[in-house]
Each structure stands twice: as structure tokens, then as C-alpha cells.
Amino acid sequence: MSYIISKLMLIMKKFVMFTVSIGFCLSMASCKKDANPLLSPFDTPFGIPPFEKIKVEHFEPAFAEAMKQQKAEIEAILTDENEPTFENTILPFEYSGRLLINVANIFFPLTSANTSPELQAVAQTIAPMLSSHMDDINLNPKLFQRIKSVYEKKDELDLNAEQQMLLSRIYNEFVRGGANLPEEKQQRFREINEKLSTLTLKFGDNVLAETNGFQMVIDDAKDLAGLPDAIVAAAAESATACGKDGKWVFTLHNPSWIPFLQYAENRDLRENLFRGYFMRGNNNNEYDNKEIIKEIVALRLERAQLLGYKSHAQFVLEDNMAKTPETVNDFLMKLWGPSINRAKAEAYDIQKMIDEEESKFKLASWDWWYYTEKIRKAKYDLDEEMLKPYFPLENVKKGIFLLTEKLYGLKYEKLSDVPIYHPEAEAYEVKGADNQHIGILFMDFHPRESKRGGAWMTSYRDQYITRDGEFITPIVTLVCNFTRPSGDTPALLSLDEASTFFHEFGHGLHGLLSKVTYPRLAGTNVPRDFVELPSQIMENWCTDPEFLKMYAFHYQTGEPMPDDLIKKMEATETFNQGFITTEYLAAAILDMMYHTIESDGVQDVMAFEKDAMQKIGLIDEIIPRYRSTYYQHIFSGGYSSSYYSYIWSGVLDSDAYQAFKETGNIFDPATANRFREFVLEKGSTEKADVLYRKFRGADPNPEALLKKRGLM
């Protein structure tokens, strides 16, 4: 696919829709072009989108005008009577569609972070329009012939490495986008793309409707036994917010359901809440996703086979570091054996505790979190609530700022006079060690109904250099769903939330520190199984004992985390890793099983999932991290055939962090400079494996990950 196509598809895949509007005009009246802020240069500090002026009614005409402009830009390339060259074909194509990208870079992030029914309606309207527009470009025979003509002469051209990568990327995207298909097959290719564009939106829409529609209301205080005071207080505030004063409301948002499963003594309520979670999209109602999954899997397979691939996975992985489904499956199964064996041992320990309590039940999936916490407390005298006071949100944020200053010389200045897309979002100017402007960073921390669940990084503007030589700086946003403040208590993050903050900030650095020429190759536009390296390496500093002393201060006393607590954390680093790795691998293997199908498709989604898990020997006490009907990563996100990439990148980040450790200085400037130069700045200007070897001097050693997880 072309860059404009692949970029828009990536943005579309990331967004999922919500039901509440905050901060947008809801009028759907038509608007005149000259009144549309999306179609004029942004007269704002740093060129930030003028969010306060943008209304829902502006998007549809802006998309229409942007597509019209790109068509004219493509036509100018086609009417050039000169022999196709890099300068008259590749470069104008690379820079075409900038207005369309600009509009999409505003619209789709908003539909994830601050949506409304009106924005949902616009999304449903423009999805098939964009799909058709993308195919008009991708399947244009005259355009492809010009690009192919330049590509076939690539060895004769005096191109630098980045230009060679650009040319190869564009040519391959056209081929993978159907440009070589005969005309009759191209029509079917278009139909598949258009249908998939709406199915993937509907899948995410259904998951979020189910997520936002579930509440577990408790009206008897006895049913709160075991829950920490802060969790009880947050549930009471949730109840008050939805008109249920005097009660307690628990939802399927992570800050609510996870601690309930960890601490609630009432087993029936744990089961009720967990069933609400894992039955999303599987309730035989208007939001059921089973038929959608069958269609998506079948259409992806048909499209891949139209292009000459055996499976969708073979098509996807050709562009990743792993290259083939066989490589991925071999990699996953090498990890599966040690992980499931460890998980079985953990299940034995839990069942033993259940039996010792003289409880008359067999361990089930909704018991795992609860008994894991009890065992952690018994074995290590540690539970999550002991750590939270040392991870107030503001301290974690300051710690990340300190870390990136030590590593890369970055400075952060909070801005109060710039447009923001929601009152809860914070804006910062990011500067380098020389005080030079690097980019703008938005951060948005807490759940709300207008925001989808999870945590992610995206951009309102990517870094690149214009044809006139202007360096365009990025505007990056980090969106999370962390625990809110409660009463007089600030937002105290769990260890997992703190680690997530470091993770997403790593993605942010990948976007902010990009230093390439061409938009297609910038920032996070890298292979899916490489993109998690910058994020996951940051997690290592989150729990490094030396760095904890620099940022993990008690929110009341200001005292640093004591040594004995740090030692307890270290002692539990491999605790429960059998469960954590097994539930992840189960989901990654399920993804591959869906997308390595070569015929017949899926007849019964839940039967397919059950059979897949039985084949690998997943124990009944554990379910995949994502079951099929709410598996947004692969059915409404960008990770189909690529969910494995988190643990693939886990090998990379464990080995990369070892490079710092080997120097005896976890902030070693020379190592940080190499990581910045060959990973954070380079985007896709060279192949990912080449860039890694330039940083590390060798291929990654997988033993670092196995040791880290205690699976050797």
C-alpha cells in the first residue's frame, strides 16, 4: 500500500468509538470551506491544531476537499511527459496527500480520546470513502507504471540509503496493494478493502459498547470485604457519578476490575465481574462479534490469496522482522513449553492454598489474581498496595522526565496557552540539551466515557522535512487510563500502571526524536515487531533499584522507597511469570492460528478458539489475554498476525538494556547516544535488524528475556 494508504489505515485501525461527547459542537450543519479551520494553516503556537475551533461538521467536507486535492496532485504526476525519475515521480508522490494526512491525524486520535455519537457517524461515512480513495491511488495503472519504471532503474540511480529505502518501500507497497492484479481481480480487491474498513470499525464499536454498558453495583458493604480503602472510595465515587449514591460501582475499566479481582473476598462477585470482562462481544445481542470475526478472517484470507500468498499471516509478515509464519510459530512454541510448565506449577501452588483453607472448589480463572496476591503476600510480604504510595502520578512523570534528561538531554516546559483537545490533557514543549525545540507532547491520563480503554501513543503531526527543506517537528500524544485521584489522595499508580507510563513514553520518544527526511520512513513507521523496542526498553528503568531511588517517593512523607521494599520487588520479579507469559502467548498463538488458515475459514468462532487452545495444551485455569470476541489488537487494531511482536521486542529490549548494564552505568551516555542515533532517530531509513546490529554490535541474545522472566 502507498504511504497515504498505509498511514490512513494505521490511524483507522487504532481508533475505537465511544458514546459521550465532551468539548465538541454537535451541530451537523454544512460548513463553508472558508470557515473550515481544518482547511487553513493553523495560526496557533507551534502549529497545534485549533481544537477549540474544530467542530464535528468540519470533518466530512475537510476529508472530501483533502481527497480532491490529492487526486489533483496524483494527476500532475501522471501528466508529466518527461521520463519518470525519482524527482518527478517518487518525491511528488511521497509528499502528496499532506492535507489528507493532516485531517486524519486530527480526526482519528479524537475518536479514540474524546469521541461522540456524531464523530462515530462521520467515521462510518468516511471509512468507505477513504477505502475507495486509497484503492483509486493504489490501483492506478499509469501511476504504478511510472513508479515501477523508476524502481527497475534503482541500481543505476545515484540514491543515498534513505532514498533507496523510500523507493523500495513505495514500490513494494503498490505491489502488496494490488497493483499487479488483473482488472477483474482488482474490482474484488476493492470490495474486500471496503468491507473490511467497516467491519473492523464495527468490531471495535461493539467491544466498547459492551465495556461501557457493564456495571456491577454493590449495595451491601459486606461484599466489599478484602478491598483496599482507596478502591472502595473510588467505587463509591463512581456510584455517585452515575446517580447511585450510597452504593459502589465496579466497571470493566482496568483501574476498577483488576483490583477487584486481586482483593475481593466474595468469589461469586469476582466471577460475575470477570465474566462480564471475558464475555464481551459474545452475548448473542446487537453487539455480538462472532459473525464479524468470521467475515474478517475470510476476507483477509481471500485478499491475501488474490495477491498470491497462502495466508494473511504470510502476507503481513513479509514486511516484519520475522518474515514468515514459520519463524513466528517456532519462536512462540520455544517459549510456550517453559511458560506453560511454570504456569502449571503456579496453579498447583494456588490450588494447594485453596485446599489448605478448606475451600471446596477447584481453581478457576477468576480466582487466579486473588490467590496470586495472597501467595505474594505470604511468600514475600508484599502486595500492590504497599507499592502504590511510592508511585503518585506526578512523581512517576517527574521520574520519566529526569530519566530522559539523563539519557538524551531532554527538557520539558508545561504550556498553558495552547489549544488542547480535552480539559484533562496536558501540553508540554520538549526541548533538547541545546534548548532547541524538538516537539509538542500531550499527555492524557485518566478514564472517561469518551475515551477508549487501554493506553497508546499517536501523533497529531509526524516529523519530516518538506521538499523546501523545512524541518517539521512532531506533535505527539500519550493517552492512558490510569487510576484517578480520590478525595484528598492523589492518583496513586499500581506498578503495572507506572510501567505502562514508561512504556508509552518510549513510543513518544520514538515519535519525538525522529530525524528523517521522508514522512513514510519517520518515527514509529517501522516493522510491527520492531516498534515495541523503544517502548519496552523504558520499562526496565521503571523498576531498576538505582533509578527507583531517584523518583519513587512516598506521596505523604517524601521518603524514597526503602531498600527492604525494593528487595521485595526484586525478589518477586519472576513471580507469576508463568501465568503472565502463558496468557500472553496463548493470545499470540490464537492470532497466528486465525491468520495462518489457508482454506475454509472459520465456521464457529468459539469452537475454533477452544480447539486452538486445546491443541497447545492451555490449562482450564487460564484464558488467553484476549479472547476472540474482544481481541481488538487483531480485529480492529494494527496487530493481525503481529501480536507476537511484544515478546519478540521483549527479546530486543532485554538485550538492549543489557548493553547499558554492561557499562556499569544504566544512564551511560555513549550507549544512550547509540540507541538514539540508530533506533529512535532512524525510523525505517534502514532495515530493522541492521539498525539493531549498529546499536548493539551483534544480534540480540534471547537468553536475556528468559532469564528476566525466570523461564530458563
Side-chain angles (χ1 to χ4, degrees):
M1 293 185 290
S2 70
Y3 170 69
I4 185 73
I5 296 169
S6 57
K7 177 65 176 177
L8 285 173
M9 289 303 294
L10 179 60
I11 298 170
M12 288 173 66
K13 286 173 180 176
K14 283 184 176 180
F15 97 85
V16 189
M17 296 166 283
F18 281 78
T19 56
V20 176
S21 172
I22 301 177
F24 274 92
C25 171
L26 302 183
S27 168
M28 290 300 292
S30 62
C31 65
K32 298 179 182 179
K33 176 182 174 182
D34 59 2
N36 192 330
L38 293 166
L39 299 178
S40 302
F42 299 156
D43 185 20
T44 58
F46 308 104
I48 295 171
F51 295 111
E52 74 285 353
K53 296 180 180 178
I54 299 171
K55 302 175 182 179
V56 174
E57 66 200 55
H58 292 135
F59 282 109
E60 194 171 333
F63 273 112
E65 174 62 23
M67 286 186 275
K68 178 182 175 182
Q69 287 190 20
Q70 190 180 25
K71 287 178 181 178
E73 292 163 348
I74 298 297
E75 187 61 26
I77 297 172
L78 299 179
T79 55
D80 189 328
E81 296 180 356
N82 295 307
E83 179 182 356
T85 65
F86 187 85
E87 288 73 21
N88 69 21
T89 299
I90 303 303
L91 287 183
F93 176 72
E94 170 67 0
Y95 287 100
S96 72
R98 293 314 307 168
L99 177 60
L100 184 54
I101 288 292
N102 291 344
V103 174
N105 273 347
I106 297 171
F107 178 75
F108 290 110
L110 288 176
T111 59
S112 291
N114 192 28
T115 197
S116 69
E118 288 72 20
L119 281 177
Q120 290 181 241
V122 173
Q124 293 288 353
T125 299
I126 65 171
M129 292 169 54
L130 285 171
S131 178
S132 177
H133 174 72
M134 295 167 187
D135 284 336
D136 285 345
I137 295 172
N138 210 39
L139 300 175
N140 186 311
K142 288 181 65 178
L143 179 60
F144 177 58
Q145 284 306 313
R146 288 186 67 92
I147 290 170
K148 184 178 181 181
S149 174
V150 180
Y151 179 76
E152 289 175 341
K153 296 181 294 186
K154 64 181 185 300
D155 295 335
E156 305 168 17
L157 305 176
D158 186 22
L159 302 179
N160 62 33
E162 188 173 355
Q163 291 169 330
Q164 290 174 2
M165 183 65 81
L166 177 67
L167 176 56
S168 295
R169 176 73 70 87
I170 289 175
Y171 174 76
N172 290 330
E173 286 171 355
F174 266 79
V175 172
R176 291 167 58 80
N180 275 333
L181 291 175
E183 188 173 343
E184 65 275 11
K185 290 187 176 182
Q186 286 189 357
Q187 181 56 38
R188 178 57 183 158
F189 192 82
R190 287 175 177 269
E191 293 169 0
I192 292 171
N193 285 340
E194 184 171 329
K195 183 66 174 174
L196 284 171
S197 73
T198 57
L199 285 172
T200 52
L201 296 186
K202 181 62 176 171
F203 183 97
D205 197 9
N206 287 346
V207 173
L208 290 163
E210 296 261 86
T211 301
N212 284 338
F214 182 94
Q215 289 184 344
M216 187 174 73
V217 182
I218 293 177
D219 54 16
D220 188 339
K222 293 196 298 293
D223 290 329
L224 302 170
L227 292 171
D229 292 342
I231 303 303
V232 173
E237 290 179 4
S238 295
T240 299
C242 56
K244 295 180 172 63
D245 285 330
K247 300 181 180 181
W248 299 267
V249 168
F250 293 88
T251 70
L252 300 181
H253 298 292
N254 283 2
S256 182
W257 75 268
I258 289 177
F260 193 92
L261 282 165
Q262 287 175 311
Y263 297 110
E265 294 176 6
N266 189 315
R267 186 173 188 248
D268 290 338
L269 290 179
R270 293 202 308 268
E271 179 180 357
N272 180 45
L273 187 61
F274 197 44
R275 283 191 180 278
Y277 176 81
F278 71 66
M279 288 299 292
R280 289 176 297 167
N282 185 27
N283 290 305
N284 298 317
N285 57 17
E286 62 183 308
Y287 305 122
D288 198 279
N289 272 331
K290 293 190 289 290
E291 291 301 314
I292 291 176
I293 292 171
K294 289 165 63 175
E295 284 192 81
I296 289 174
V297 171
L299 289 170
R300 285 174 173 171
L301 173 60
E302 183 182 356
R303 183 175 61 184
Q305 292 184 340
L306 278 174
L307 293 170
Y309 298 89
K310 291 180 180 180
S311 67
H312 178 70
Q314 188 184 60
F315 165 69
V316 169
L317 292 169
E318 183 182 62
D319 262 3
N320 281 9
M321 291 181 73
K323 299 301 181 188
T324 68
E326 292 76 17
T327 300
V328 173
N329 285 328
D330 287 347
F331 171 71
L332 293 175
M333 295 313 297
K334 284 178 182 177
L335 297 173
W336 178 255
S339 301
I340 190 65
N341 289 337
R342 179 70 176 271
K344 289 176 180 177
E346 292 167 357
Y348 176 86
D349 288 342
I350 294 174
Q351 188 65 56
K352 183 179 178 182
M353 174 174 277
I354 293 171
D355 295 341
E356 288 172 350
E357 293 177 346
E358 298 185 358
S359 300
K360 305 294 184 181
F361 61 83
K362 184 178 183 297
L363 171 65
S365 53
W366 47 85
D367 300 314
W368 196 290
W369 297 59
Y370 176 73
Y371 280 95
T372 292
E373 283 305 310
K374 294 188 76 170
I375 292 173
R376 192 198 317 266
K377 180 70 173 175
K379 279 190 173 183
Y380 305 103
D381 189 27
L382 178 70
D383 65 36
E384 286 273 6
E385 293 304 304
M386 297 167 65
L387 300 175
K388 284 183 178 181
Y390 294 95
F391 293 119
L393 175 59
E394 284 300 311
N395 283 9
V396 178
K397 181 170 61 179
K398 290 176 182 177
I400 291 173
F401 287 174
L402 173 63
L403 173 62
T404 55
E405 181 179 9
K406 283 180 167 292
L407 293 174
Y408 310 117
L410 302 183
K411 303 173 185 177
Y412 303 85
E413 181 180 333
K414 191 168 185 179
L415 303 174
S416 58
D417 57 349
V418 298
I420 54 175
Y421 63 87
H422 187 275
E424 290 188 333
E426 300 177 355
Y428 291 84
E429 181 186 6
V430 184
K431 298 181 180 180
D434 56 1
N435 228 33
Q436 183 179 4
H437 175 78
I438 287 178
I440 296 297
L441 173 66
F442 285 104
M443 291 187 286
D444 181 1
F445 294 116
H446 303 298
R448 53 179 176 267
E449 288 188 339
S450 65
K451 181 197 290 188
R452 73 171 171 89
W456 64 95
M457 166 268 177
T458 189
S459 300
Y460 287 107
R461 185 176 69 213
D462 293 327
Q463 178 273 323
Y464 66 99
I465 298 175
T466 69
R467 294 194 72 179
D468 295 330
E470 180 185 1
F471 191 98
I472 302 299
T473 57
I475 301 174
V476 165
T477 181
L478 309 181
V479 188
C480 304
N481 281 275
F482 296 152
T483 302
R484 281 188 173 276
S486 179
D488 295 331
T489 305
L492 301 179
L493 305 188
S494 67
L495 179 59
D496 181 68
E497 288 176 322
S499 181
T500 297
F501 193 175
F502 276 77
H503 178 105
E504 297 305 331
F505 210 94
H507 283 309
L509 292 175
H510 204 181
L512 286 164
L513 298 180
S514 176
K515 200 173 182 180
V516 308
T517 303
Y518 305 113
R520 179 185 316 273
L521 307 178
T524 57
N525 293 311
V526 299
R528 183 67 68 186
D529 48 11
F530 190 66
V531 76
E532 297 299 334
L533 168 58
S535 56
Q536 291 182 189
I537 193 173
M538 287 286 287
E539 297 178 39
N540 291 276
W541 280 283
C542 176
T543 54
D544 191 289
E546 181 180 351
F547 190 57
L548 281 168
K549 288 288 189 180
M550 298 182 183
Y551 83 95
F553 303 112
H554 196 284
Y555 78 100
Q556 290 174 315
T557 67
E559 293 295 316
M561 185 178 287
D563 291 336
D564 65 327
L565 191 54
I566 292 176
K567 288 178 181 177
K568 290 176 183 179
M569 282 182 61
E570 288 186 286
T572 62
E573 281 181 352
T574 61
F575 177 70
N576 203 38
Q577 279 295 331
F579 169 82
I580 292 169
T581 309
T582 294
E583 64 152 8
Y584 165 81
L585 289 173
I589 292 167
L590 180 61
D591 170 29
M592 292 301 295
M593 287 187 172
Y594 272 119
H595 293 116
T596 51
I597 291 173
E598 296 182 8
S599 62
D600 299 331
V602 176
Q603 306 307 313
D604 182 320
V605 166
M606 301 318 295
F608 179 89
E609 178 185 296
K610 182 178 180 181
D611 181 61
M613 296 299 95
Q614 286 178 341
K615 283 180 178 176
I616 61 173
L618 180 65
I619 58 179
D620 293 339
E621 296 87 347
I622 298 176
I623 65 172
R625 182 172 296 177
Y626 301 105
R627 298 191 67 187
S628 300
T629 54
Y630 55 91
Y631 203 164
Q632 294 185 86
H633 279 80
I634 68 170
F635 292 124
S636 66
Y639 280 79
S640 65
S641 306
S642 295
Y643 190 62
Y644 76 91
S645 61
Y646 286 97
I647 203 159
W648 181 282
S649 291
V651 172
L652 299 178
D653 88 72
S654 299
D655 183 69
Y657 193 63
Q658 192 62 30
F660 285 89
K661 299 283 283 186
E662 288 167 1
T663 69
N665 177 7
I666 61 171
F667 314 110
D668 179 59
T671 307
N673 286 339
R674 288 201 314 276
F675 192 79
R676 177 173 182 167
E677 179 182 359
F678 295 120
V679 177
L680 298 177
E681 292 183 348
K682 282 292 192 292
S684 274
T685 54
E686 295 184 71
K687 292 184 180 297
D689 56 340
V690 173
L691 289 174
Y692 189 83
R693 282 192 293 272
K694 285 187 174 182
F695 157 67
R696 190 67 166 106
D699 288 325
N701 183 352
E703 286 191 3
L705 175 69
L706 294 173
K707 289 179 180 177
K708 181 179 177 181
R709 298 196 175 204
L711 299 175
M712 287 290 288

